[in-house]
Amino acid sequence: MDVRTLCLGALMGGEATGYEIRKMFEDGTFSHFQIASLGSIYPALTKLTQDGLVTFVEHEQENRPDKKVYQLTSEGRRTFLRTLLQTRPAEDRYRSDILFMLTFAEEMPIELTEALIDEFAARHELMSHQIDPENDDKPGTMSTYGRDENGAPKPGCCFVAGLGQAMCEATLKFIRENKQGLLDELRDFKARKP
Amino acid sequence: MDVRTLCLGALMGGEATGYEIRKMFEDGTFSHFQIASLGSIYPALTKLTQDGLVTFVEHEQENRPDKKVYQLTSEGRRTFLRTLLQTRPAEDRYRSDILFMLTFAEEMPIELTEALIDEFAARHELMSHQIDPENDDKPGTMSTYGRDENGAPKPGCCFVAGLGQAMCEATLKFIRENKQGLLDELRDFKARKP
DNA sequence: TTTCGCTATATCAGTTCGATATATGTCGGA
DNA sequence: TCCGACATATATCGAACTGATATAGCGAAA
């Protein structure tokens, strides 16, 4: 899935600026399983405009740069839906510096191992909290749930969000149950080898 | 974590060729939480050689291209360990086309939704199986567990592998419990709206 | 028997990231 | 009250990385 397709998908929920699209990938609906940076979103929107898949209206703002509000054209909508039907989804990829580093736990001070695990747990705690539907209506927080015109959360989005939460909780549970064991094992390991 | 650092880490377990390093990221020890392609590994190894962090021995092979077996220098080892101590690990990132597509479940035929979920489950089933320690000694399979000189699995690697398995299992459990509910909800949803 | 996949290195075009530039309003703390 | 930090908003660019392709011989399956 290239950024152009991701942008089309982001605009399926209604009009948005480039900046708002980035927020969907940073904090919002898609943030837990897709990434796109401004440096790729803006060129993608330009290209999509050239191809007639999106249009934009320039809103002048006092004392601020103009806002370009993008919207799908009917061809853009059709193209996106066709892509959904035709694309064979790429392999999932998970990238974690912390897990990579933990692989070398034997080679580093135990305090660092513990700090890394705690950091990992803290990040998942936060993420689980962000996905939580209880938090979804609070002002200021970006919604994790895509909603239709009536404001009802969409079943597909709820399923994906629930899955994300289940993964977070499993991670936290595993850490609660295995962190101490690992630290003890490492202490043993280091006692035996100088 | 750039590819250079990842290569140093891969060589912490002993000597290897570029091709073998890629396999560690494709099938082996690091495959579930880091990615590196040949197109970045070879240039990285060249750069590391220039910087004196690795050396290589060229093994001539009959009727095959020469094999370059790389090895950490003591400075390479020191550099990697220093990096572990000093690096603030980047945010984890998870990227999934399938979950992104499922977000638009309302817009596509129910059969496609079901196929995507089944595909997602199948991939996690396979992954869980690959991580399974039972499978670890079987010839032909790439080991998921880093091992020390005596062939004993390293505690850090076991912890990370266990965590990966716990995440897979949570995913599979969630799908077992929620797939049918989603499909029913979607049928409802579509019945109400034409 | 030919076609596919494995070992093995290497290169390159295209994509994407991350940082930076620009301009300004707002809010909290010293 | 002023300063710094942060948010809005677009745009660009070098550096990094992916994915495909080239080369080349072997073994196994179909």
Side-chain angles (χ1 to χ4, degrees):
Chain A
M1 292 259 147
D2 57 19
V3 178
R4 273 198 298 290
T5 308
L6 296 181
C7 287
L8 290 179
L11 291 171
M12 286 290 286
E15 51 176 37
T17 66
Y19 189 75
E20 285 166 345
I21 292 177
R22 193 214 47 173
K23 278 180 61 184
M24 295 184 210
F25 291 99
E26 196 95 332
D27 317 312
T29 328
F30 307 124
S31 57
H32 306 297
F33 49 88
Q34 282 294 343
I35 311 116
S37 67
L38 282 177
S40 53
I41 290 173
Y42 284 118
L45 288 172
T46 306
K47 185 88 201 309
L48 288 169
T49 307
Q50 283 163 13
D51 296 350
L53 304 181
V54 305
T55 47
F56 65 88
V57 181
E58 234 165 326
H59 289 229
E60 279 181 56
Q61 298 192 288
E62 347 155 356
N63 298 327
R64 274 179 179 280
D66 284 1
K67 211 195 245 190
K68 288 182 185 172
V69 180
Y70 289 86
Q71 197 176 12
L72 283 182
T73 63
S74 59
E75 207 196 314
R77 196 182 169 82
R78 244 182 296 126
T79 301
F80 180 70
L81 293 176
R82 202 180 337 112
T83 306
L84 281 187
L85 291 173
Q86 292 175 349
T87 307
R88 228 241 137 188
E91 287 283 319
D92 289 19
R93 35 186 40 194
Y94 177 55
R95 191 162 199 151
S96 171
D97 279 8
I98 294 189
L99 293 189
F100 180 73
M101 290 167 84
L102 280 176
T103 283
F104 304 98
E106 295 78 20
E107 323 280 350
M108 61 198 194
I110 294 199
E111 300 78 51
L112 180 53
T113 304
E114 184 163 17
L116 286 171
I117 295 177
D118 290 346
E119 171 84 20
F120 196 76
R123 290 182 186 180
H124 278 79
E125 195 93 56
L126 178 65
M127 188 171 143
S128 169
H129 206 249
Q130 283 170 347
I131 301 178
D132 195 335
E134 300 285 311
N135 285 1
D136 201 44
D137 293 314
K138 287 194 190 143
T141 339
M142 244 279 157
S143 169
T144 346
Y145 296 90
R147 287 164 184 280
D148 63 20
E149 313 79 53
N150 311 319
K154 295 152 88 193
C157 289
C158 291
F159 181 84
V160 170
L163 184 49
Q165 256 209 329
M167 284 167 88
C168 283
E169 263 150 41
T171 300
L172 291 168
K173 178 160 175 279
F174 184 88
I175 290 175
R176 273 196 303 276
E177 289 170 1
N178 293 280
K179 173 182 150 182
Q180 207 49 56
L182 171 64
L183 295 179
D184 292 344
E185 232 180 298
L186 285 170
R187 261 183 286 267
D188 259 37
F189 190 90
K190 297 207 168 187
R192 267 183 284 120
K193 295 196 167 189
Chain B
M1 290 260 148
D2 58 17
V3 178
R4 275 199 295 292
T5 308
L6 295 181
C7 286
L8 290 179
L11 290 170
M12 286 290 285
E15 52 176 37
T17 65
Y19 190 74
E20 286 166 344
I21 291 176
R22 192 213 48 170
K23 280 181 61 182
M24 293 183 212
F25 290 99
E26 195 95 329
D27 317 312
T29 327
F30 307 122
S31 56
H32 307 296
F33 49 89
Q34 283 292 344
I35 312 115
S37 68
L38 282 176
S40 54
I41 290 173
Y42 284 118
L45 287 172
T46 305
K47 186 88 201 310
L48 288 169
T49 306
Q50 283 164 12
D51 295 350
L53 303 181
V54 305
T55 48
F56 66 88
V57 181
E58 233 165 326
H59 288 229
E60 281 183 53
Q61 297 190 289
E62 345 154 0
N63 298 327
R64 271 175 182 285
D66 285 1
K67 210 195 250 190
K68 287 183 185 173
V69 180
Y70 289 86
Q71 199 176 11
L72 283 182
T73 62
S74 58
E75 207 197 316
R77 195 183 170 83
R78 244 181 296 125
T79 301
F80 180 70
L81 293 176
R82 202 181 337 112
T83 306
L84 282 187
L85 292 174
Q86 292 174 350
T87 307
R88 228 242 138 187
E91 287 285 319
D92 288 19
R93 37 184 40 195
Y94 177 55
R95 189 162 201 153
S96 172
D97 279 8
I98 295 188
L99 294 189
F100 180 73
M101 290 166 83
L102 280 176
T103 282
F104 303 99
E106 295 77 20
E107 322 279 350
M108 61 199 195
I110 293 201
E111 302 77 51
L112 179 53
T113 305
E114 182 163 18
L116 286 172
I117 294 177
D118 290 345
E119 171 84 22
F120 195 75
R123 290 181 185 180
H124 278 79
E125 194 94 55
L126 178 66
M127 187 170 144
S128 170
H129 205 250
Q130 283 169 347
I131 301 177
D132 195 334
E134 300 283 312
N135 283 2
D136 201 44
D137 293 315
K138 288 194 190 144
T141 340
M142 245 277 158
S143 170
T144 347
Y145 295 91
R147 288 164 183 280
D148 64 18
E149 314 78 54
N150 312 317
K154 293 152 90 192
C157 290
C158 291
F159 181 83
V160 170
L163 183 49
Q165 255 209 330
M167 284 166 86
C168 284
E169 264 149 42
T171 300
L172 291 168
K173 179 159 175 279
F174 184 88
I175 290 176
R176 272 195 306 274
E177 290 169 1
N178 294 280
K179 173 181 149 182
Q180 207 50 56
L182 172 63
L183 296 179
D184 292 345
E185 231 179 300
L186 285 171
R187 260 183 287 265
D188 260 35
F189 191 90
K190 298 208 169 186
R192 264 181 287 120
K193 294 197 170 192

